[in-house]
Amino acid sequence: MTVKLYDRDHYLREFDAEVVSVEGDTVELYQTAFYAEAGGQAGDTGTLNGARVVDTRFDGGRIVHIMKLPPVFRQGDRVHGIIDWDRRYRIMKLHTASHIMEYYLWMHLGYAQRTGSFVDERKDRADYMYEERLDQEKLRRVEEDTNRFLSEGHPVTIQVDDDGIRHWSCGPVEMHCAGTHVMDTREIGAIKLKRKNPGRGVERVETSLAE
Ligand SMILES: [Zn+2]
């Protein structure tokens, strides 16, 4: 089991770690600040001793760093990791914003099950089982309420229970989530929402940063 430094500090950008194994272009470290793709959040990119990490994934309980090229370092070496912070910080903002968006989406358009989601540095995509297409006027209200809430500067709280389940909360919004988030909604700025229809009975809400 790789030690997840990002669980302790979502803002950790650099770290040192011992290399546990190198297999071709994949590297396992004793500990890492690179977020491994899970729960609909993209894996981190960055560098290990200056060599490019193009993705980070789970392989069972291990986290593996996918390198652009097979690395020169070996098992037992110590490496210095740096994550692509601008990219990760955008993901943290979008991920946090999408939780708030969902709260107001359900308030204005009624509850619908979320069937999938994915967030990277460009946008958050969340799919819901709505029978009818989302009303644009109501979606505009979701956007307005989300932006008002974000600008109010609500703190994010994460509590880990005895089973290791991570409880995320911010104001009235609560859920189980193991992703990385900003700690105050004011860091996010404003967001924009867009509706897509990826399939019958499925409505997608895309959240992007307004900039
Ligand atoms: Zn989350």
Side-chain angles (χ1 to χ4, degrees):
M1 291 276 278
T2 311
V3 176
K4 301 171 191 159
L5 298 172
Y6 55 79
D7 270 356
R8 297 179 201 161
D9 180 1
H10 292 186
Y11 292 82
L12 186 65
R13 310 172 189 201
E14 300 191 27
F15 63 101
D16 291 299
E18 186 176 326
V19 177
V20 173
S21 71
V22 178
E23 293 164 25
D25 60 356
T26 68
V27 174
E28 180 188 358
L29 303 175
Y30 172 73
Q31 58 184 13
T32 188
F34 282 75
Y35 184 85
E37 180 176 337
Q41 179 178 327
D44 277 336
T45 60
T47 58
L48 294 178
N49 278 5
R52 284 306 297 170
V53 176
V54 295
D55 199 3
T56 310
R57 292 180 176 274
F58 276 106
D59 178 9
R62 308 186 311 152
I63 290 173
V64 291
H65 306 78
I66 316 294
M67 310 300 294
K68 187 177 181 193
L69 299 167
V72 293
F73 46 80
R74 298 271 173 267
Q75 181 180 1
D77 287 352
R78 282 189 76 78
V79 293
H80 185 68
I82 304 175
I83 66 172
D84 288 334
W85 179 250
D86 288 350
R87 176 176 181 273
R88 157 73 95 68
Y89 194 40
R90 288 178 64 88
I91 292 172
M92 282 164 53
K93 290 178 184 179
L94 285 165
H95 184 145
T96 308
S98 86
H99 292 337
I100 309 301
M101 176 282 293
E102 183 174 84
Y103 175 81
Y104 287 110
L105 181 76
W106 288 345
M107 181 180 286
H108 288 294
L109 288 131
Y111 173 80
Q113 191 186 340
R114 175 159 28 94
T115 57
S117 66
F118 191 76
V119 60
D120 61 18
E121 71 278 19
R122 293 177 299 261
K123 58 191 169 188
D124 178 274
R125 283 145 281 194
D127 292 344
Y128 298 91
M129 291 178 63
Y130 282 110
E131 283 302 319
E132 294 177 9
R133 58 183 293 155
L134 297 180
D135 181 272
Q136 288 292 351
E137 180 55 31
K138 287 180 180 172
L139 195 61
R140 202 177 57 76
R141 263 183 268 161
V142 175
E143 185 180 279
E144 282 174 5
D145 283 353
T146 302
N147 282 333
R148 180 181 41 73
F149 184 90
L150 297 181
S151 70
E152 287 167 356
H154 295 270
V156 164
T157 307
I158 294 163
Q159 285 178 309
V160 186
D161 69 18
D162 292 342
D163 295 325
I165 305 294
R166 300 176 72 81
H167 299 269
W168 182 94
S169 65
C170 180
V173 192
E174 290 179 36
M175 66 185 64
H176 294 167
C177 187
T180 55
H181 308 87
V182 296
M183 295 312 286
D184 187 298
T185 59
R186 207 173 277 147
E187 294 175 46
I188 299 165
I191 53 99
K192 289 183 291 192
L193 300 181
K194 194 190 274 185
R195 170 196 170 267
K196 291 271 171 72
N197 175 231
R200 195 179 165 85
V202 181
E203 292 285 301
R204 174 172 296 172
V205 180
E206 289 187 352
T207 303
S208 57
L209 297 174
E211 41 194 6

